[in-house]
Amino acid sequence: MCTEQELLDFMRETAYKPMTYKELEKHFGIEDAAEFKAFLRMLTEMEQDGKILLTRTDRYGVPERMNLLRGRIQSHPKGFAFLIPDDKEHPDLYIHANDMKGTMNGDIVLARVSAKNENGKLEGEIVRIVKRAVTQVVGLFHNHESYGFVVPDDKRINKDIFIRGEGFKGAVTGQKVVVNIITYPEGRSAAEGEIVEILGHKDDPGVDILSIIRKHGLPESFPGDVLAEADSAPDTITEEEIVQQGRRDLRDKVIVTIDGEDAKDLDDAVNVERLPNGNFVLGVHIADVSYYVREKSKLDEEAYNRGCSVYLVDRVIPMLPHRLSNGICSLNPQVDRLTMSCEMEFEPGTMKQVRHDIFTSVIRTTERMTYTNVRKILNDEDPEVTERYSGLVDTFKLMRELAMGLRGMRMRRGAIDFEFQESKVIVDEQGKPVDIVKRERSIAEQIIEEFMLVANETVAEHFHWLKVPFIYRIHEEPSAEKLMTFMQFAGNFGYAVRGKGNTVHPRALQTLLEEIQGTKEETVLSTMMLRSMKQAKYDSESLGHFGLAAEYYSHFTSPIRRYPDLAIHRVMREVLENGGALPDNRYDSLNARMPDIASQSSERERVAVDAERDTEKLKKAEYMLDKIGEEFTGIISGVTSFGMFIELENTVEGLIRLSDLTDDYYHFHELHMALIGERTSKIYRIGDEVKIRVARVNMSDHTIDFEMVDMKPRSGNRVNLVDVRGSGGFDRKRKNKRGGGFAGAGGRQAAGRGERGGRGGQGERGGRGDSRVAKAGDGSVNAAVQNDGGQGGRRKKKSAANKGVLEAQSNVVEPIGIQAPPIASGSPRARSKRKGDGADTVVAAGSNSVGTKGSASNGARLSESGGATDNAAPARRGKLDMWGLPRSGNYPKNADDGTDGTKPLGSRKGGGNGGSRINRAPKPFTKAEASVPKPSSDKPRRQRKPKE
């Protein structure tokens, strides 16, 4: 009978047309009754899984030939989602919140491409839900007497779960509960569930971590049959076993383990020797877990389902029972252990590998070393520790020499080495965080890292050329789009990333990391480079590892805590025992299973990483609870359109919201990943150091809000225009008709008289009346609305105390190549202009007055600060430009007048009747958040004819 893959390949052929089950049966030559039943069963299962579709005429075909996509839903807390297609070559599909049709995060669905947006991205809609991923939800219970709701902890599930009164099971408001979903959301109706477990009150010790464990579906204990299998494993190894299996005896060699102080599952050991010819010999010995965890056993099934061990803040959820992971499989000191060994020989200097050998072995480790003690011997030369391990000091020095040589070779090859600071949260017995310490990456960690990397590469290449089923660790090249975005971003800082076409060799990226080391741009460029990369994952094909610049790479060194390592150990031992090949029947069965193992392992790894991050965020937020109000120095680690993230010295990260930056109106400049002040041109970007205060800690979302220290209020620096349109304002009910407008921030409305502009102190007659608001400096009564009449009129004198307030605007923005328009300090004609929604505001540097300009069609005019009337304005405009410079063109050219081919920041453009000039902001900028929206009812008024 044909296999599932053969059937899919046949249906994907261009010439294939949908067939009935009878036609398929005939095509594949199925005649046996039992075989026919198995074939029908396979068709039904594939149809239920969405891998094939059954049409209305009872014919089978694949979704992609019917304009449908099969994939997994990745939801966003805001309601929309992305479909990650099974077809790796197909781009992701955006799903609008209105097209979700009750799907939840992780569901397997069939979707149809419905449109392509202006950016060329595909949009789609859900056609059918194939498989539900969410069957249980953890959340906070709220009792409403006859019914209740559970608010999910997972913010990607953005609708509450409805609970009927009879399903409370004794739960009360404020308790964390586990809910089984009975019916899924459809249309406007919410999902319905029943409570199956009460974890405890949300503030009880340990409930927070327990909620995260349940949220991610992590198993806490092992089933009884799995523990029974583990208990049957022996405690020691007999000589008969060693001889019978033909293992190489390495018990006379000096082999050590190097791990953290709290590690109990020791699955790797190393030894280094120097040969008489000067070459290095490195031996990497990994615990042979596959000898004790047999294929298709209960232990194997449980390990497959878990995928990997999960390291939470206060506990470890192991992949294998402690009886194995801390016992017979752990390479404890001074005891015999079965291992898989990879021995490699390297030339000194070039570090070229001249030979390697992979075999089964038995070892007895000499010493259980810790990273701290190895560092004290090699770096600190601690006399006490050196004396204690005197017999191993030369071995560690040899290890350092070899490791640094291997690292140098890897760097020359082009491997990318990110050095981001990691931390560990220390908790007490009650689970309360008491400290956050940085994880060191000393010489000891680097030795083990380099030895494991080279062993993984060697094993991967060896078995790739044997052409046997295997699992590889792959890291694909970044997408051309993300790469080009990063290269453009780096170019803004003056750094060039070399590449051919749309591809870049990892060596070019590592070269950039070396160039920026120690510079202010190091953090920002390293972070953006990492974000442009794809995620590493497992695959049954060797597609290379971009980050390591390695053509072949696998995970071979941790079978106690990673299932892929355990799976390839079985293949390795079977190949070694059968003379370098696999029997045909084993080849087919393993080849069919490897893609499934790779997919499952990648999925479980992501779940483990998410759970680890969640517990770390939780405990870091809890640690900062009693730090509210304290001040710290931090580094900007991320910039977005809604604020910026700040990372403190202890790696705690918090958000400063854009609304909390009150000294100016800031625009998000996406190209430079920066926030730029509209008035002051002040810049905040990744890598800048800032002083912050802890403002709020949200324990339900595990988020922390910061605020800037010494942040001046926005109202003290800029006029907040409410309505300056004369008598035609948008809120006529609130507006005082006698006053003719509202004053700016901190000012008072002018107590004018008369409905046509009133008397701004001296009685000015107003026609259409372009209003000007005098800025109130420090909130004094000097701020008043002034209306210029259509035919002139007297002007109120400006307060001398307010002069020169805006001269500070002439900040030049050099770090990212954006230059602010020059303001001539002290010149009465020097002006800066901001474009608002309802009116253009002109700030005169020297008079502290703000004039507003209506639409060009109304013949709006700008009067110079110090000019007598509007009648004189056209003459002045002919002689001077908006910066107060002569229009003759005899002044020096610069970047602001567009001579470099770019659009100047203050480019001049003729208006309608009045030739008004519009000072446009750079393209990436958006309107200020506090701009006053133009009222829909505010229509242009006809200009009143002047009286004779």
Side-chain angles (χ1 to χ4, degrees), residues 822-853:
I823 305 275
S825 177
S827 170
R829 297 186 180 94
R831 299 181 297 181
S832 163
K833 190 169 71 165
R834 174 184 65 82
K835 185 178 179 182
D837 281 345
D840 286 340
T841 306
V842 181
V843 184
S847 66
N848 201 25
S849 68
V850 180
T852 64
K853 180 186 64 169

PDB file of all heavy atoms in Angstrom, residues 822-853:
ATOM      1  N   PRO A 822      17.522  75.746  10.801  1.00  0.00           N
ATOM      2  CA  PRO A 822      18.264  76.738  11.592  1.00  0.00           C
ATOM      3  C   PRO A 822      17.368  77.884  12.036  1.00  0.00           C
ATOM      4  O   PRO A 822      16.530  78.344  11.288  1.00  0.00           O
ATOM      5  CB  PRO A 822      19.342  77.222  10.613  1.00  0.00           C
ATOM      6  CG  PRO A 822      18.763  76.961   9.266  1.00  0.00           C
ATOM      7  CD  PRO A 822      17.903  75.749   9.387  1.00  0.00           C
ATOM      8  N   ILE A 823      17.549  78.306  13.250  1.00  0.00           N
ATOM      9  CA  ILE A 823      16.818  79.449  13.802  1.00  0.00           C
ATOM     10  C   ILE A 823      17.840  80.519  14.157  1.00  0.00           C
ATOM     11  O   ILE A 823      18.752  80.266  14.937  1.00  0.00           O
ATOM     12  CB  ILE A 823      16.050  79.045  15.069  1.00  0.00           C
ATOM     13  CG1 ILE A 823      15.120  77.858  14.790  1.00  0.00           C
ATOM     14  CG2 ILE A 823      15.296  80.235  15.621  1.00  0.00           C
ATOM     15  CD1 ILE A 823      13.795  78.215  14.240  1.00  0.00           C
ATOM     16  N   ALA A 824      17.734  81.676  13.579  1.00  0.00           N
ATOM     17  CA  ALA A 824      18.672  82.745  13.879  1.00  0.00           C
ATOM     18  C   ALA A 824      18.369  83.309  15.252  1.00  0.00           C
ATOM     19  O   ALA A 824      17.334  83.924  15.476  1.00  0.00           O
ATOM     20  CB  ALA A 824      18.577  83.836  12.817  1.00  0.00           C
ATOM     21  N   SER A 825      19.276  83.049  16.187  1.00  0.00           N
ATOM     22  CA  SER A 825      19.052  83.490  17.564  1.00  0.00           C
ATOM     23  C   SER A 825      19.002  85.006  17.637  1.00  0.00           C
ATOM     24  O   SER A 825      19.893  85.688  17.159  1.00  0.00           O
ATOM     25  CB  SER A 825      20.180  82.946  18.456  1.00  0.00           C
ATOM     26  OG  SER A 825      20.019  83.407  19.757  1.00  0.00           O
ATOM     27  N   GLY A 826      17.961  85.497  18.257  1.00  0.00           N
ATOM     28  CA  GLY A 826      17.825  86.937  18.460  1.00  0.00           C
ATOM     29  C   GLY A 826      17.187  87.677  17.318  1.00  0.00           C
ATOM     30  O   GLY A 826      16.847  88.831  17.452  1.00  0.00           O
ATOM     31  N   SER A 827      17.047  87.061  16.166  1.00  0.00           N
ATOM     32  CA  SER A 827      16.457  87.740  15.019  1.00  0.00           C
ATOM     33  C   SER A 827      14.954  87.785  15.159  1.00  0.00           C
ATOM     34  O   SER A 827      14.323  86.770  15.396  1.00  0.00           O
ATOM     35  CB  SER A 827      16.827  87.003  13.727  1.00  0.00           C
ATOM     36  OG  SER A 827      16.066  87.518  12.655  1.00  0.00           O
ATOM     37  N   PRO A 828      14.348  88.915  15.013  1.00  0.00           N
ATOM     38  CA  PRO A 828      12.885  88.986  15.177  1.00  0.00           C
ATOM     39  C   PRO A 828      12.148  88.281  14.055  1.00  0.00           C
ATOM     40  O   PRO A 828      10.994  87.960  14.192  1.00  0.00           O
ATOM     41  CB  PRO A 828      12.612  90.492  15.171  1.00  0.00           C
ATOM     42  CG  PRO A 828      13.745  91.087  14.406  1.00  0.00           C
ATOM     43  CD  PRO A 828      14.939  90.240  14.712  1.00  0.00           C
ATOM     44  N   ARG A 829      12.822  88.049  12.930  1.00  0.00           N
ATOM     45  CA  ARG A 829      12.129  87.431  11.813  1.00  0.00           C
ATOM     46  C   ARG A 829      12.321  85.920  11.762  1.00  0.00           C
ATOM     47  O   ARG A 829      11.725  85.252  10.950  1.00  0.00           O
ATOM     48  CB  ARG A 829      12.617  88.035  10.500  1.00  0.00           C
ATOM     49  CG  ARG A 829      12.315  89.524  10.356  1.00  0.00           C
ATOM     50  CD  ARG A 829      12.697  90.007   8.985  1.00  0.00           C
ATOM     51  NE  ARG A 829      12.419  91.434   8.838  1.00  0.00           N
ATOM     52  CZ  ARG A 829      13.287  92.374   9.056  1.00  0.00           C
ATOM     53  NH1 ARG A 829      14.491  92.066   9.468  1.00  0.00           N
ATOM     54  NH2 ARG A 829      12.961  93.626   8.893  1.00  0.00           N
ATOM     55  N   ALA A 830      13.219  85.392  12.610  1.00  0.00           N
ATOM     56  CA  ALA A 830      13.471  83.948  12.576  1.00  0.00           C
ATOM     57  C   ALA A 830      12.273  83.215  13.142  1.00  0.00           C
ATOM     58  O   ALA A 830      11.818  83.512  14.220  1.00  0.00           O
ATOM     59  CB  ALA A 830      14.714  83.619  13.403  1.00  0.00           C
ATOM     60  N   ARG A 831      11.762  82.249  12.396  1.00  0.00           N
ATOM     61  CA  ARG A 831      10.528  81.589  12.823  1.00  0.00           C
ATOM     62  C   ARG A 831      10.621  80.082  12.640  1.00  0.00           C
ATOM     63  O   ARG A 831      11.258  79.599  11.727  1.00  0.00           O
ATOM     64  CB  ARG A 831       9.346  82.113  12.017  1.00  0.00           C
ATOM     65  CG  ARG A 831       9.131  83.604  12.187  1.00  0.00           C
ATOM     66  CD  ARG A 831       7.942  84.061  11.403  1.00  0.00           C
ATOM     67  NE  ARG A 831       8.135  83.856   9.976  1.00  0.00           N
ATOM     68  CZ  ARG A 831       7.226  84.196   9.067  1.00  0.00           C
ATOM     69  NH1 ARG A 831       6.096  84.716   9.444  1.00  0.00           N
ATOM     70  NH2 ARG A 831       7.453  83.990   7.798  1.00  0.00           N
ATOM     71  N   SER A 832       9.916  79.372  13.518  1.00  0.00           N
ATOM     72  CA  SER A 832       9.766  77.922  13.383  1.00  0.00           C
ATOM     73  C   SER A 832       8.288  77.658  13.275  1.00  0.00           C
ATOM     74  O   SER A 832       7.484  78.320  13.924  1.00  0.00           O
ATOM     75  CB  SER A 832      10.335  77.204  14.619  1.00  0.00           C
ATOM     76  OG  SER A 832       9.859  75.898  14.677  1.00  0.00           O
ATOM     77  N   LYS A 833       7.887  76.702  12.453  1.00  0.00           N
ATOM     78  CA  LYS A 833       6.471  76.502  12.224  1.00  0.00           C
ATOM     79  C   LYS A 833       6.084  75.051  12.378  1.00  0.00           C
ATOM     80  O   LYS A 833       6.797  74.157  11.990  1.00  0.00           O
ATOM     81  CB  LYS A 833       6.123  76.988  10.826  1.00  0.00           C
ATOM     82  CG  LYS A 833       4.624  77.051  10.594  1.00  0.00           C
ATOM     83  CD  LYS A 833       4.299  77.767   9.325  1.00  0.00           C
ATOM     84  CE  LYS A 833       4.662  76.958   8.108  1.00  0.00           C
ATOM     85  NZ  LYS A 833       4.055  77.468   6.903  1.00  0.00           N
ATOM     86  N   ARG A 834       4.936  74.809  12.978  1.00  0.00           N
ATOM     87  CA  ARG A 834       4.425  73.440  13.168  1.00  0.00           C
ATOM     88  C   ARG A 834       3.101  73.328  12.453  1.00  0.00           C
ATOM     89  O   ARG A 834       2.222  74.171  12.566  1.00  0.00           O
ATOM     90  CB  ARG A 834       4.228  73.138  14.658  1.00  0.00           C
ATOM     91  CG  ARG A 834       3.575  71.803  14.916  1.00  0.00           C
ATOM     92  CD  ARG A 834       3.337  71.647  16.403  1.00  0.00           C
ATOM     93  NE  ARG A 834       2.385  72.630  16.897  1.00  0.00           N
ATOM     94  CZ  ARG A 834       1.070  72.485  16.805  1.00  0.00           C
ATOM     95  NH1 ARG A 834       0.548  71.433  16.229  1.00  0.00           N
ATOM     96  NH2 ARG A 834       0.257  73.403  17.291  1.00  0.00           N
ATOM     97  N   LYS A 835       2.953  72.221  11.755  1.00  0.00           N
ATOM     98  CA  LYS A 835       1.696  71.994  11.046  1.00  0.00           C
ATOM     99  C   LYS A 835       0.746  71.229  11.936  1.00  0.00           C
ATOM    100  O   LYS A 835       1.031  70.121  12.355  1.00  0.00           O
ATOM    101  CB  LYS A 835       1.949  71.220   9.761  1.00  0.00           C
ATOM    102  CG  LYS A 835       0.689  71.053   8.925  1.00  0.00           C
ATOM    103  CD  LYS A 835       0.990  70.325   7.640  1.00  0.00           C
ATOM    104  CE  LYS A 835      -0.276  70.139   6.827  1.00  0.00           C
ATOM    105  NZ  LYS A 835      -0.047  69.407   5.598  1.00  0.00           N
ATOM    106  N   GLY A 836      -0.411  71.800  12.219  1.00  0.00           N
ATOM    107  CA  GLY A 836      -1.409  71.115  13.038  1.00  0.00           C
ATOM    108  C   GLY A 836      -2.532  70.597  12.186  1.00  0.00           C
ATOM    109  O   GLY A 836      -2.480  70.603  10.972  1.00  0.00           O
ATOM    110  N   ASP A 837      -3.602  70.118  12.833  1.00  0.00           N
ATOM    111  CA  ASP A 837      -4.723  69.587  12.082  1.00  0.00           C
ATOM    112  C   ASP A 837      -5.643  70.718  11.579  1.00  0.00           C
ATOM    113  O   ASP A 837      -6.044  70.731  10.429  1.00  0.00           O
ATOM    114  CB  ASP A 837      -5.536  68.621  12.951  1.00  0.00           C
ATOM    115  CG  ASP A 837      -4.885  67.270  13.029  1.00  0.00           C
ATOM    116  OD1 ASP A 837      -4.000  67.038  12.202  1.00  0.00           O
ATOM    117  OD2 ASP A 837      -5.258  66.489  13.906  1.00  0.00           O
ATOM    118  N   GLY A 838      -5.976  71.604  12.495  1.00  0.00           N
ATOM    119  CA  GLY A 838      -6.949  72.627  12.120  1.00  0.00           C
ATOM    120  C   GLY A 838      -6.316  73.888  11.587  1.00  0.00           C
ATOM    121  O   GLY A 838      -6.885  74.578  10.767  1.00  0.00           O
ATOM    122  N   ALA A 839      -5.118  74.229  12.042  1.00  0.00           N
ATOM    123  CA  ALA A 839      -4.478  75.466  11.636  1.00  0.00           C
ATOM    124  C   ALA A 839      -2.987  75.326  11.750  1.00  0.00           C
ATOM    125  O   ALA A 839      -2.499  74.560  12.546  1.00  0.00           O
ATOM    126  CB  ALA A 839      -4.963  76.614  12.508  1.00  0.00           C
ATOM    127  N   ASP A 840      -2.232  76.065  10.946  1.00  0.00           N
ATOM    128  CA  ASP A 840      -0.784  76.059  11.036  1.00  0.00           C
ATOM    129  C   ASP A 840      -0.346  77.101  12.040  1.00  0.00           C
ATOM    130  O   ASP A 840      -0.742  78.264  11.968  1.00  0.00           O
ATOM    131  CB  ASP A 840      -0.158  76.355   9.680  1.00  0.00           C
ATOM    132  CG  ASP A 840      -0.284  75.174   8.754  1.00  0.00           C
ATOM    133  OD1 ASP A 840      -0.486  74.053   9.269  1.00  0.00           O
ATOM    134  OD2 ASP A 840      -0.200  75.367   7.547  1.00  0.00           O
ATOM    135  N   THR A 841       0.511  76.687  12.961  1.00  0.00           N
ATOM    136  CA  THR A 841       0.918  77.567  14.046  1.00  0.00           C
ATOM    137  C   THR A 841       2.297  78.121  13.756  1.00  0.00           C
ATOM    138  O   THR A 841       3.209  77.353  13.478  1.00  0.00           O
ATOM    139  CB  THR A 841       0.951  76.797  15.359  1.00  0.00           C
ATOM    140  OG1 THR A 841      -0.323  76.175  15.532  1.00  0.00           O
ATOM    141  CG2 THR A 841       1.217  77.721  16.527  1.00  0.00           C
ATOM    142  N   VAL A 842       2.481  79.405  13.826  1.00  0.00           N
ATOM    143  CA  VAL A 842       3.769  80.037  13.570  1.00  0.00           C
ATOM    144  C   VAL A 842       4.289  80.627  14.865  1.00  0.00           C
ATOM    145  O   VAL A 842       3.630  81.443  15.486  1.00  0.00           O
ATOM    146  CB  VAL A 842       3.649  81.132  12.500  1.00  0.00           C
ATOM    147  CG1 VAL A 842       4.991  81.765  12.238  1.00  0.00           C
ATOM    148  CG2 VAL A 842       3.070  80.547  11.220  1.00  0.00           C
ATOM    149  N   VAL A 843       5.454  80.171  15.296  1.00  0.00           N
ATOM    150  CA  VAL A 843       6.032  80.661  16.536  1.00  0.00           C
ATOM    151  C   VAL A 843       7.154  81.612  16.182  1.00  0.00           C
ATOM    152  O   VAL A 843       8.103  81.231  15.505  1.00  0.00           O
ATOM    153  CB  VAL A 843       6.581  79.496  17.379  1.00  0.00           C
ATOM    154  CG1 VAL A 843       7.095  80.023  18.700  1.00  0.00           C
ATOM    155  CG2 VAL A 843       5.493  78.466  17.608  1.00  0.00           C
ATOM    156  N   ALA A 844       7.079  82.844  16.598  1.00  0.00           N
ATOM    157  CA  ALA A 844       8.117  83.822  16.317  1.00  0.00           C
ATOM    158  C   ALA A 844       9.130  83.816  17.433  1.00  0.00           C
ATOM    159  O   ALA A 844       8.795  84.056  18.582  1.00  0.00           O
ATOM    160  CB  ALA A 844       7.506  85.207  16.174  1.00  0.00           C
ATOM    161  N   ALA A 845      10.388  83.526  17.072  1.00  0.00           N
ATOM    162  CA  ALA A 845      11.430  83.449  18.084  1.00  0.00           C
ATOM    163  C   ALA A 845      11.883  84.852  18.441  1.00  0.00           C
ATOM    164  O   ALA A 845      12.728  85.423  17.830  1.00  0.00           O
ATOM    165  CB  ALA A 845      12.583  82.628  17.556  1.00  0.00           C
ATOM    166  N   GLY A 846      11.421  85.394  19.439  1.00  0.00           N
ATOM    167  CA  GLY A 846      11.811  86.742  19.822  1.00  0.00           C
ATOM    168  C   GLY A 846      10.626  87.503  20.361  1.00  0.00           C
ATOM    169  O   GLY A 846      10.777  88.440  21.116  1.00  0.00           O
ATOM    170  N   SER A 847       9.440  87.088  19.969  1.00  0.00           N
ATOM    171  CA  SER A 847       8.253  87.743  20.497  1.00  0.00           C
ATOM    172  C   SER A 847       7.410  86.801  21.324  1.00  0.00           C
ATOM    173  O   SER A 847       6.523  87.230  22.039  1.00  0.00           O
ATOM    174  CB  SER A 847       7.410  88.284  19.345  1.00  0.00           C
ATOM    175  OG  SER A 847       6.904  87.197  18.584  1.00  0.00           O
ATOM    176  N   ASN A 848       7.663  85.497  21.227  1.00  0.00           N
ATOM    177  CA  ASN A 848       6.916  84.508  21.998  1.00  0.00           C
ATOM    178  C   ASN A 848       5.443  84.488  21.621  1.00  0.00           C
ATOM    179  O   ASN A 848       4.591  84.121  22.394  1.00  0.00           O
ATOM    180  CB  ASN A 848       7.053  84.762  23.494  1.00  0.00           C
ATOM    181  CG  ASN A 848       6.747  83.493  24.283  1.00  0.00           C
ATOM    182  OD1 ASN A 848       6.881  82.390  23.760  1.00  0.00           O
ATOM    183  ND2 ASN A 848       6.342  83.651  25.520  1.00  0.00           N
ATOM    184  N   SER A 849       5.098  84.953  20.405  1.00  0.00           N
ATOM    185  CA  SER A 849       3.709  84.916  19.969  1.00  0.00           C
ATOM    186  C   SER A 849       3.517  83.776  19.003  1.00  0.00           C
ATOM    187  O   SER A 849       4.437  83.346  18.348  1.00  0.00           O
ATOM    188  CB  SER A 849       3.328  86.228  19.289  1.00  0.00           C
ATOM    189  OG  SER A 849       4.019  86.348  18.070  1.00  0.00           O
ATOM    190  N   VAL A 850       2.315  83.299  18.940  1.00  0.00           N
ATOM    191  CA  VAL A 850       1.999  82.189  18.048  1.00  0.00           C
ATOM    192  C   VAL A 850       0.886  82.618  17.138  1.00  0.00           C
ATOM    193  O   VAL A 850      -0.210  82.930  17.594  1.00  0.00           O
ATOM    194  CB  VAL A 850       1.578  80.939  18.841  1.00  0.00           C
ATOM    195  CG1 VAL A 850       1.262  79.805  17.894  1.00  0.00           C
ATOM    196  CG2 VAL A 850       2.682  80.542  19.797  1.00  0.00           C
ATOM    197  N   GLY A 851       1.150  82.630  15.827  1.00  0.00           N
ATOM    198  CA  GLY A 851       0.106  82.993  14.892  1.00  0.00           C
ATOM    199  C   GLY A 851      -0.457  81.761  14.241  1.00  0.00           C
ATOM    200  O   GLY A 851       0.224  80.774  14.084  1.00  0.00           O
ATOM    201  N   THR A 852      -1.710  81.790  13.852  1.00  0.00           N
ATOM    202  CA  THR A 852      -2.304  80.641  13.178  1.00  0.00           C
ATOM    203  C   THR A 852      -2.722  81.035  11.788  1.00  0.00           C
ATOM    204  O   THR A 852      -3.080  82.170  11.511  1.00  0.00           O
ATOM    205  CB  THR A 852      -3.530  80.129  13.935  1.00  0.00           C
ATOM    206  OG1 THR A 852      -4.511  81.140  13.913  1.00  0.00           O
ATOM    207  CG2 THR A 852      -3.191  79.795  15.373  1.00  0.00           C
ATOM    208  N   LYS A 853      -2.698  80.023  10.940  1.00  0.00           N
ATOM    209  CA  LYS A 853      -2.981  80.292   9.547  1.00  0.00           C
ATOM    210  C   LYS A 853      -4.059  79.348   9.080  1.00  0.00           C
ATOM    211  O   LYS A 853      -3.978  78.147   9.284  1.00  0.00           O
ATOM    212  CB  LYS A 853      -1.692  80.073   8.751  1.00  0.00           C
ATOM    213  CG  LYS A 853      -1.849  80.309   7.284  1.00  0.00           C
ATOM    214  CD  LYS A 853      -0.570  79.938   6.574  1.00  0.00           C
ATOM    215  CE  LYS A 853      -0.291  78.456   6.732  1.00  0.00           C
ATOM    216  NZ  LYS A 853       0.781  78.001   5.860  1.00  0.00           N
TER     217      LYS A 853
END
